[in-house]
Amino acid sequence: MLLQIAHEKTFFERGKKIARTADAGQPISEEKIISFEDPSDLLHLLTTARLALMQVVLERPLSITEIAERLGRDRSAVKRDIDVLADSGMVIVEEKPLPGHGRKKEVRPAAHSLRLEAVLA
């Protein structure tokens, strides 16, 4: 997954490149890109706490409670951060059955790696 600072022009250039690749009958590589026009929007999304949360989840999927324990944070604060990251498309939250009874919410990354890119000109 790529998080980048990019303008609308970059978005349309990428779309044209993908269209040319498809027109040529070539395979299109799968990628997930989240773009921000304003660098402050990216910084608002990726706080220090959320970045630490992402690093934990990139290691392996965990429940919200397990993440809170690993980070030494309050579960409700971790849940709020997970909601923000899920709304942005950076993590996926799935309900899974627990052995015996009950269910847990497992959090996993939307991609296997995260790359941050910012070019300010």
Side-chain angles (χ1 to χ4, degrees):
M1 176 183 325
L2 170 64
L3 294 179
Q4 69 178 4
I5 308 297
H7 295 286
E8 188 177 301
K9 180 180 175 186
T10 305
F11 173 82
F12 287 110
E13 287 172 355
R14 189 172 60 248
K16 288 177 188 177
K17 181 180 175 186
I18 292 170
R20 283 192 298 273
T21 302
D23 288 345
Q26 298 172 341
I28 299 170
S29 63
E30 182 179 332
E31 60 185 354
K32 183 167 184 134
I33 299 173
I34 302 173
S35 294
F36 300 85
E37 275 193 84
D38 186 342
S40 65
D41 291 338
L42 173 61
L43 295 174
H44 177 74
L45 172 66
L46 273 190
T47 62
T48 304
R50 291 182 191 142
L51 190 55
L53 191 156
M54 282 299 300
Q55 289 172 322
V56 167
V57 172
L58 281 164
E59 291 175 16
R60 67 172 198 207
L62 295 168
S63 72
I64 296 169
T65 301
E66 292 168 327
I67 295 167
E69 288 171 357
R70 293 245 345 242
L71 294 172
R73 294 181 57 203
D74 179 69
R75 186 189 184 285
S76 62
V78 169
K79 170 73 169 85
R80 282 191 300 272
D81 283 343
I82 288 169
D83 289 344
V84 170
L85 294 172
D87 287 345
S88 73
M90 291 183 61
V91 298
I92 297 167
V93 180
E94 293 180 314
E95 279 205 28
K96 300 237 174 165
L98 290 170
H101 63 46
R103 301 182 71 71
K104 72 174 183 175
K105 289 187 177 182
E106 186 176 82
V107 182
R108 64 181 173 82
H112 297 293
S113 65
L114 175 63
R115 189 173 93 216
L116 302 173
E117 182 177 290
V119 178
L120 303 175

